[in-house]
Amino acid sequence: MGVSTTGTVLYPRTMVVVMAPGATEEEIAHVTRRVEETGGQAFVSRGVTRTIIGLVGDLESFHGLNLRSMAGVQDVYRISDPYKLVSLQHHPERSTVHVGPAGRQVPIGPETFTFIAGPCAVESAQQTLEAAEMAKAAGATLLRGGAFKPRTSPYAFQGLGLKGLEILSDVREVTGLPIVTEVVDARDVPVVAEHADMLQIGTRNAGNFGLLQAVGECGKPVLLKRGMTSTIEEWLMAAEYVAQRGNLDVVLCERGIRTFEPSTRNTLDISAVPVVQATSHLPIIVDPSHAGGRRDLVVPLARAAIAVGADGVIVDVHPDPEHALCDGPQALFGADLRALAQAVRQLPPMVGRRV
Ligand code: PEP
Ligand code: MN
């Protein structure tokens, strides 16, 4: 059993037994006695017309009691999150995920603030190296870059595929920055895992359960973006798919959701950060580039992410946004990137994080 920061006791697994109106004292006592015999606790709460009994302890043994068939019992409810492995109840300490080869691992978790940057797409060796050098000079410790691009249009640039992965591996050797890159097809998981330090699941695949299971078995950390129409619970269930296959190294990424507001590409749900932190132990970062879709919004949204308690940000940078093959309008360069570098250096220590 854990205790949350507000002092509330977190019951890892709870059940509530609702007694029928008119249940006798003997029937109530029978339920509590049977629960206590399993080592659990029963809290009886008497209302005007009916009595409710809260059970705390091992849910599996309560199931064995067959409570629903006992005399005087009307209903039995299970009160626990639909996800388990990613739940804070399962794991009351916040997790840190380590990305990269032994010796140069980058932590993403509650103590630090992690800055991830790179091009939206790997377009060429030259462009990727230049973007990686810009990212590194700005203070980024992980490099992002898409080799397999999930594009809305089949006519848009789809990424360089395997060639893109090779470019990323080469750029990691030159810059020392571990890489995070997207996988869009379960069949590509092994080859992406061979090259990348962290596998990204994009918003369009946040409900692709076969792909989630495949990255759950890949042996590398996973960056799981929120589906653009996913509720927070659906997003955590997606993370549960990964965890359930044995991979608990999952970092969540809020990247904006679809709303009726057209002035931004997506609406950054900044409240998702503390909401997730109240229910899951997984680290959570913010992508202000894909949320706003506009260069001028990246720095203000990144500042908001730091202030709200995110564990990091991931942003698009490009040496020549005007000629970018993907998402040029949101890519940072020049003065905007310098402003972001300053924000990620100065603000996290003000909220108790190491940079
Ligand atoms: C990306 O990060 O390159 C990307 C495609 O993001 P999203 O899945 O959030 O749209
Ligand atoms: Mn993009």
Side-chain angles (χ1 to χ4, degrees), residues 120 144 149 265 290 316 326-327 330:
C120 177
R144 61 146 292 148
K149 293 304 300 175
R265 186 173 174 182
H290 289 83
D316 286 5
C326 186
D327 288 349
Q330 70 198 29

Side-chain angles (χ1 to χ4, degrees), residues 115-138:
F115 177 23
I116 309 172
C120 177
V122 173
E123 300 168 16
S124 69
Q126 174 75 9
Q127 167 260 4
T128 305
L129 182 61
E130 282 178 33
E133 276 165 353
M134 288 166 66
K136 190 173 177 178

Side-chain angles (χ1 to χ4, degrees), residues 210-281:
L211 182 60
L212 293 168
Q213 288 171 326
V215 296
E217 292 171 359
C218 78
K220 292 272 170 83
V222 173
L223 181 63
L224 177 60
K225 292 224 174 171
R226 179 178 183 178
M228 62 181 90
T229 60
S230 296
T231 63
I232 291 174
E233 185 172 294
E234 287 164 341
W235 183 19
L236 291 171
M237 291 302 277
E240 187 80 8
Y241 264 93
V242 181
Q244 196 249 346
R245 290 296 167 119
N247 191 351
L248 268 171
D249 286 333
V250 180
V251 174
L252 302 167
C253 178
E254 163 61 39
R255 48 79 69 203
I257 51 176
R258 281 236 165 126
T259 69
F260 48 81
E261 176 51 58
S263 55
T264 48
R265 186 173 174 182
N266 294 284
T267 298
L268 179 62
D269 181 8
I270 200 75
S271 58
V273 175
V275 170
V276 162
Q277 289 171 341
T279 174
S280 174
H281 59 90

Side-chain angles (χ1 to χ4, degrees), residues 2 8 21 27 55 60 63 75 80 105 140 158 217 221 239 306 350:
T8 322
E27 288 164 346
L55 314 190
E60 262 30 90
H63 277 303
D75 258 312
S80 54
Q105 287 193 321
Q158 304 287 310
E217 292 171 359
I306 299 167
M350 296 171 72

